[in-house]
Amino acid sequence: MKHYICLLILISLIVHITSCASVRYEKYPDSGYAVASWYGTEFHGKPTSSGEIFNMYAMTCAHRSYPFGTKLVITNISTNKKAYCIVNDRGPFVEGRDIDLSYAVAKEIGLIQDGVGKVRIDYSGRDDSYIREVKDVAREGPFTLQIGSFIEISNAIRLKKALEMKYNKVYITEAEIEGKNFYRVRIGKFSSRKNIYSLANTLADEGYPVLITGYEEKI
């Protein structure tokens, strides 16, 4: 009888573990095999989509959908070398590629020379410190969401392109402050705060710095 009960507990435990694994895979459908490339000097020192400054020597990567702070294990299929990295950027923008690795990650797994290669992506948790809080500085409507502000328009254009992978009505405005031009990346036009908070919280949870402010015409 004791053996029978132990067997039932073991079966229940296996079912529970299998169920959890299937839920995780469904939540992160991009786990599995993918095409990877890498980026380095061209973007070194420039802001990523999460707002962090890109460091080609840090163990980071760019992905189209994983929330910022997602931890991944990347295995190069041809070398069987693996490396741990964290998602802090959006990309790749090239068709047929699924993930962009920093120079450091690509070097660790032996992808530098080939430039592009097949890898396996395994989800390994998330750093919740990447989750942001929504800031609201708007006095009156209509309202909009500001995701970034840059002196260099190329940085604003890159963030706009990253946001457009998932969101609609992304635009750029220009403002002069103390003799300097700033290019602000924004999303949408909302008549009330009630309509804007759902999207604002989604973006903040994804890891974007979100500011609710007054709407201005795009450039």
Side-chain angles (χ1 to χ4, degrees):
M1 184 67 178
K2 288 182 178 180
H3 288 88
Y4 178 72
I5 293 173
C6 289
L7 181 61
L8 287 177
I9 293 173
L10 180 61
I11 293 172
S12 176
L13 182 61
I14 292 171
V15 169
H16 175 73
I17 292 172
T18 305
S19 174
C20 289
S22 65
V23 169
R24 191 184 78 172
Y25 189 82
E26 183 179 340
K27 185 178 180 182
Y28 301 98
D30 293 317
S31 293
Y33 295 103
V35 176
S37 51
W38 66 273
Y39 62 138
T41 54
E42 183 181 356
F43 298 100
H44 184 71
K46 296 183 178 181
T48 63
S49 299
S50 68
E52 289 186 343
I53 300 302
F54 176 63
N55 180 358
M56 60 185 284
Y57 303 107
M59 304 298 281
T60 62
C61 61
H63 194 271
R64 290 189 176 92
S65 58
Y66 279 121
F68 300 131
T70 300
K71 301 173 184 179
L72 300 175
V73 181
I74 310 297
T75 305
N76 187 340
I77 301 304
S78 63
T79 65
N80 205 33
K81 293 181 178 180
K82 66 175 60 178
Y84 293 82
C85 62
I86 193 163
V87 178
N88 73 341
D89 203 2
R90 285 286 170 257
F93 299 112
V94 178
E95 189 71 27
R97 300 181 188 179
D98 306 301
I99 189 168
D100 255 346
L101 310 174
S102 70
Y103 169 83
V105 178
K107 183 179 180 181
E108 186 80 11
I109 65 173
L111 192 67
I112 295 296
Q113 186 172 353
D114 293 337
V116 179
K118 194 172 184 180
V119 300
R120 177 170 175 81
I121 299 175
D122 289 296
Y123 173 76
S124 185
R126 188 185 182 194
D127 180 350
D128 290 336
S129 68
Y130 279 80
I131 298 174
R132 306 294 188 94
E133 291 185 2
V134 176
K135 296 181 180 179
D136 189 343
V137 298
R139 294 181 179 178
E140 58 183 21
F143 307 100
T144 191
L145 296 176
Q146 181 170 302
I147 312 302
S149 181
F150 307 92
I151 292 178
E152 294 183 20
I153 192 170
S154 59
N155 292 329
I157 291 172
R158 187 164 181 265
L159 177 57
K160 179 177 182 288
K161 192 174 181 180
L163 287 165
E164 286 176 333
M165 288 181 169
K166 184 175 179 180
Y167 302 99
N168 298 319
K169 299 180 180 179
V170 184
Y171 66 100
I172 297 173
T173 64
E174 182 179 1
E176 184 177 333
I177 301 174
E178 297 180 354
K180 293 183 179 180
N181 287 338
F182 288 84
Y183 300 94
R184 296 163 168 175
V185 183
R186 296 179 168 183
I187 299 179
K189 182 179 181 180
F190 302 83
S191 59
S192 70
R193 281 186 170 87
K194 179 182 178 181
N195 297 331
I196 201 172
Y197 263 101
S198 176
L199 178 57
N201 288 325
T202 296
L203 284 156
D205 183 69
E206 192 173 334
Y208 287 104
V210 182
L211 181 72
I212 297 177
T213 186
Y215 177 81
E216 298 173 14
E217 294 298 327
K218 62 183 178 180
I219 61 173

